[in-house]
C-alpha cells in the first residue's frame, strides 16, 4: 500500500497546547509583532475541552498580558471573600486559625473561576489578533531538522493499530512547523517527555515529583452557596504516611468546585485516590454543602510537585517548555496558572526577539534568564523545600 504524502504548513511560531500558558504565549507574540504568524494546536475538540475547571486564579500575569481584562469582560468576577483551613478527623473538623498559617498560602486578591471559560475567552482574544487555532489535533510525533533542532510536529495522524502499524484507513496527518516551537501540553505530556530526554534538559535537576488532582463541578442549593468562599482541608481520610488534602471553592451561579489531591509517593499499594475522594465528600463538613446538589462535570489531572529544584532547563534548539510542561507549580498554594501564563509571556518575548533578528530553529537563550529573574523564580524559590519536607 502506498503511503499518502503529508501536507505541510509553515509558521513563525508553533504553540502546542491551548491552556493558559499556550494562549498567553500566542497572544503576546501577536502583541509584539502582528506580522508574526502563529499557530496554536489543541488536542481537545474545542479550547477548554481538556481543562479541569474550577480554580483559584491569581490575576497577576493576566494584568500584564491584558491590562483591560475587567473592562473586556473576562470571566473573572468572583473574588475570594473568605478562607478557611480545616483539619479533618473522621467525624469532626477543626478550624486552623489563619494567623498560624504561612502568609504564602493566602488567597487574598485571587478569584474563583471556571478555568475552561477563561481559556475560551483567551482564545477569542488570540483569534482577534490573528492567531490560527486548530482544535481537535493532537501532536503525534515531533519533527527535527538535520541539526537536531525541533522544527514542528505531525498532527491529525489516524488509522494506526495498537502496535503503531498502519491500517487500510491510515491518514498521514499534517506537518506543522515553526521557526520556534513552544510546548505547553501540561504535566507529563508525551512531546515534552521526549524533548526533555532528547536534549537532556533534566540533567542536574531534581527528580520531578507528581500528584493527582481529582475534581468535580457541582450545582448546589442557593441557600448553601457562598460566592467567593474558599475551603481547604488536611488530614482525614488520608493517613499520616500520605500527603494531600481537599478543597471546595464557591464560584458564581450556585456552582462549587470540590476536589482532592493525593501525592503520588504514597507507600500503601491498596490506596485508591478516587476512593479517598469519595470518602472525603461524605465528611459532614463537605456533604452538608453538596446535599441536594447535582454533579455536572468531573475529571482528574497530573500535578507537578517537585517545585523549583525539579524545573528542567527551559530552552532547547528550536523552542522552549512553558507552563506545567516545565513544572511551574507552587505546592503549598496549589497554584500554577499565573506561573504558566507568565512563562508563556517570557517565552513569547524571547521568540519575538529572535525572529526580529532573523533567527530560526536555534536556542532561545533569552528565555531561561528571563524566568530566573522573574517573579516565577522569586515565588517558587521561597517554597522550594516544601515538597522535600512533606515527603
Amino acid at each position: 500500500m502506498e503511503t499518502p504524502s503529508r501536507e505541510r504548513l509553515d509558521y513563525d511560531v508553533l504553540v502546542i497546547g491551548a491552556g493558559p500558558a499556550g494562549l498567553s504565549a500566542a497572544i503576546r507574540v501577536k502583541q509584539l509583532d502582528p506580522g508574526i504568524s502563529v499557530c496554536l494546536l489543541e488536542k481537545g475538540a474545542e479550547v477548554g475541552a481538556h481543562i479541569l475547571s474550577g480554580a483559584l486564579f491569581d490575576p497577576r500575569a493576566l494584568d500584564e498580558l491584558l491590562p483591560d481584562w475587567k473592562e473586556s469582560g473576562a470571566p473573572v468576577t468572583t473574588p475570594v471573600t473568605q478562607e478557611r483551613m480545616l483539619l479533618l478527623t473522621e467525624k469532626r473538623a477543626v478550624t486552623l486559625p489563619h494567623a498560624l498559617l504561612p502568609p504564602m498560602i493566602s488567597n487574598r486578591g485571587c478569584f474563583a473561576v471556571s478555568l475552561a471559560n477563561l481559556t475560551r475567552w483567551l482564545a477569542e482574544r488570540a483569534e482577534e489578533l490573528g492567531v490560527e487555532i486548530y482544535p481537535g489535533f493532537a501532536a503525534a510525533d515531533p519533527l527535527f531538522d538535520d541539526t537536531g533542532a525541533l522544527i514542528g510536529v505531525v498532527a491529525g495522524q489516524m488509522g494506526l493499530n495498537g502496535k503503531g502499524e498502519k491500517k487500510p484507513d491510515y491518514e498521514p496527518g499534517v506537518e506543522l512547523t515553526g521557526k520556534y516551537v513552544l510546548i505547553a501540553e501540561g504535566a507529563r505530556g508525551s512531546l515534552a517527555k521526549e524533548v526533555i530526554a532528547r536534549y537532556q534538559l533534566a540533567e542536574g535537576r531534581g527528580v520531578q515529583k507528581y500528584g493527582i488532582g481529582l475534581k468535580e463541578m457541582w450545582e448546589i442549593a442557593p441557600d448553601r452557596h457562598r460566592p467567593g468562599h474558599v475551603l481547604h482541608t488536611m488530614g482525614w481520610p488520608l493517613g499520616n504516611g500520605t500527603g494531600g488534602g481537599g478543597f471546595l471553592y464557591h464560584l458564581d451561579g450556585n456552582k462549587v468546585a470540590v476536589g482532592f489531591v493525593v501525592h503520588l509517593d504514597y507507600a500503601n499499594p491498596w490506596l485508591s485516590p478516587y476512593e479517598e475522594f469519595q470518602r472525603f465528600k461524605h465528611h459532614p463538613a463537605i456533604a452538608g454543602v453538596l446535599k441536594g446538589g447535582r454533579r455536572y462535570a468531573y475529571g482528574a489531572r497530573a500535578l507537578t510537585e517537585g517545585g523549583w529544584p525539579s524545573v528542567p532547563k527551559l530552552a532547547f534548539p528550536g523552542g522552549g517548555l512553558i507552563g506545567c510542561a516545565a513544572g511551574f507549580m507552587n505546592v503549598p498554594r496549589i497554584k500554577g496558572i499565573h506561573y504558566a501564563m507568565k512563562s508563556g509571556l517570557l517565552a513569547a518575548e524571547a521568540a519575538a526577539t529572535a525572529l526580529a533578528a532573523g533567527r530560526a530553529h536555534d536556542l532561545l537563550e533569552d528565555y531561561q534568564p528571563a524566568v530566573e529573574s522573574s517573579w516565577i523564580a522569586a515565588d517558587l524559590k521561597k517554597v522550594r523545600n516544601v515538597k522535600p519536607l512533606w515527603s
Side-chain angles (χ1 to χ4, degrees):
M1 181 179 66
E2 183 178 349
T3 301
S5 59
R6 289 193 182 106
E7 181 183 0
R8 175 167 169 157
L9 300 174
D10 298 318
Y11 295 89
D12 294 320
V13 176
L14 175 64
V15 184
I16 310 300
L23 286 161
S24 298
I27 290 172
R28 177 61 100 205
V29 169
K30 280 294 191 178
Q31 287 175 334
L32 294 170
D33 186 347
I36 296 175
S37 59
V38 181
C39 176
L40 184 57
L41 204 62
E42 166 55 34
K43 66 182 178 181
E46 63 176 1
V47 173
H50 282 215
I51 295 294
L52 196 54
S53 201
L56 293 187
F57 176 60
D58 185 330
R60 186 174 184 180
L62 185 59
D63 289 337
E64 297 181 18
L65 179 66
L66 297 165
D68 64 342
W69 59 267
K70 291 181 181 179
E71 296 76 16
S72 299
V76 182
T77 57
T78 307
V80 172
T81 56
Q82 184 181 13
E83 298 182 70
R84 293 180 68 201
M85 174 69 78
L86 300 182
L87 176 62
L88 301 184
T89 64
E90 186 172 357
K91 299 295 184 182
R92 298 185 59 202
V94 178
T95 299
L96 300 179
H98 263 271
L100 301 179
L101 300 176
M104 69 184 70
I105 69 172
S106 171
N107 291 290
R108 182 176 301 174
C110 294
F111 292 78
V113 303
S114 164
L115 190 54
N117 287 342
L118 178 58
T119 54
R120 293 186 186 104
W121 183 82
L122 289 171
E124 292 174 359
R125 306 289 80 74
E127 289 181 321
E128 289 171 359
L129 293 169
V131 176
E132 295 183 27
I133 301 178
Y134 295 125
F137 287 91
D141 295 299
L143 297 172
F144 302 95
D145 66 12
D146 294 338
T147 68
L150 180 68
I151 62 169
V153 298
V154 176
Q157 188 173 228
M158 295 180 288
L160 299 176
N161 63 22
K163 297 180 180 179
E165 299 167 339
K166 299 171 184 174
K167 298 190 296 185
D169 60 348
Y170 173 73
E171 293 289 340
V174 179
E175 291 185 0
L176 295 161
T177 71
K179 294 176 182 176
Y180 293 102
V181 182
L182 303 180
I183 301 176
E185 57 180 351
R188 293 285 290 172
S190 57
L191 185 61
K193 288 194 292 184
E194 185 167 347
V195 166
I196 289 171
R198 180 184 181 94
Y199 299 115
Q200 299 180 324
L201 302 182
E203 186 175 350
R205 265 56 173 181
V207 176
Q208 186 59 267
K209 302 170 182 65
Y210 296 94
I212 184 170
L214 304 105
K215 189 184 294 180
E216 295 178 351
M217 296 300 299
W218 284 66
E219 184 176 3
I220 63 172
D223 60 344
R224 301 176 188 272
H225 183 237
R226 300 164 64 187
H229 181 70
V230 169
L231 177 68
H232 287 101
T233 75
M234 55 193 302
W236 190 89
L238 299 177
N240 292 333
T242 306
F247 59 85
L248 197 150
Y249 307 149
H250 289 247
L251 286 69
D252 57 1
N254 298 324
K255 296 180 176 64
V256 299
V258 56
F260 200 71
V261 173
V262 179
H263 302 173
L264 295 180
D265 54 358
Y266 56 84
N268 179 7
W270 304 107
L271 186 144
S272 166
Y274 174 76
E275 294 297 335
E276 298 302 284
F277 181 30
Q278 299 310 306
R279 292 208 292 161
F280 167 73
K281 289 190 298 179
H282 284 84
H283 190 280
I286 306 301
V289 177
L290 303 179
K291 185 177 180 180
R294 68 176 186 91
R295 183 183 67 178
Y296 64 90
Y298 56 89
R301 61 158 292 181
L303 304 173
T304 52
E305 295 186 335
W308 184 253
S310 300
V311 173
K313 298 172 187 175
L314 301 173
F316 53 83
L321 301 171
I322 60 178
C324 288
F328 296 125
M329 174 77 169
N330 189 316
V331 176
R333 293 191 75 197
I334 327 176
K335 284 185 178 52
I337 302 169
H338 58 308
Y339 301 126
M341 295 179 68
K342 179 63 173 178
S343 67
L345 300 185
L346 297 175
E349 290 163 4
T353 298
L355 290 168
R359 294 162 45 198
H361 309 309
D362 59 0
L363 187 70
L364 289 173
E365 71 274 359
D366 292 346
Y367 177 38
Q368 182 87 35
V371 170
E372 291 177 351
S373 62
S374 72
W375 48 260
I376 296 177
D379 280 6
L380 296 185
K381 285 179 181 179
K382 293 176 184 176
V383 296
R384 65 187 180 277
N385 292 322
V386 168
K387 182 60 179 178
L389 288 170
W390 212 328
S391 300

